[in-house]
């Protein structure tokens, strides 16, 4: 079966939102189990924001992580 993937979409106000899709089988049919990540703050570094989790990182290899702001 295919591996998980992150899909992004652009909202009406120009904000980029992201979801992770995990493929699985239900009753013998292939379905994607979506999970909302939230606003994509920095896609290159995998930084997202949601009301539920606040700022956090997510990568397909490592999963969820803590976000720490870097000094400018």
């Amino acid at each position: 079966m295919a591996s998980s993937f992150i899909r992004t979409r652009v909202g009406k106000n120009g904000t980029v939102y992201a979801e992770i899709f995990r493929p699985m089988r239900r009753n013998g049919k292939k379905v994607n189990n979506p999970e909302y990540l939230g606003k994509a703050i920095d896609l290159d570094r995998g930084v997202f924001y949601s009301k539920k989790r606040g700022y956090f990182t997510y990568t397909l290899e490592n999963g969820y992580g803590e976000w720490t702001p870097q000094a400018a």
Side-chain angles (χ1 to χ4, degrees):
M1 181 150 309
S3 60
S4 299
F5 61 95
I6 295 176
R7 185 183 82 177
T8 59
R9 63 181 173 83
V10 179
K12 291 181 182 179
N13 59 358
T15 304
V16 178
Y17 298 95
E19 292 178 294
I20 181 168
F21 285 87
R22 294 184 179 95
M24 57 188 310
R25 290 191 177 268
R26 287 192 187 140
N27 298 327
K29 293 185 180 183
K30 289 189 267 183
V31 295
N32 286 320
N33 186 19
E35 181 179 345
Y36 181 69
L37 291 175
K39 291 181 184 179
I41 305 301
D42 186 351
L43 285 174
D44 294 332
R45 293 189 297 160
V47 179
F48 302 95
Y49 173 80
S50 71
K51 289 181 182 179
K52 180 179 174 182
R53 297 183 68 101
Y55 288 95
F56 64 96
T57 61
Y58 185 87
T59 60
L60 293 174
E61 297 81 24
N62 300 325
Y64 289 100
E66 293 294 320
W67 180 76
T68 55
Q70 297 182 358

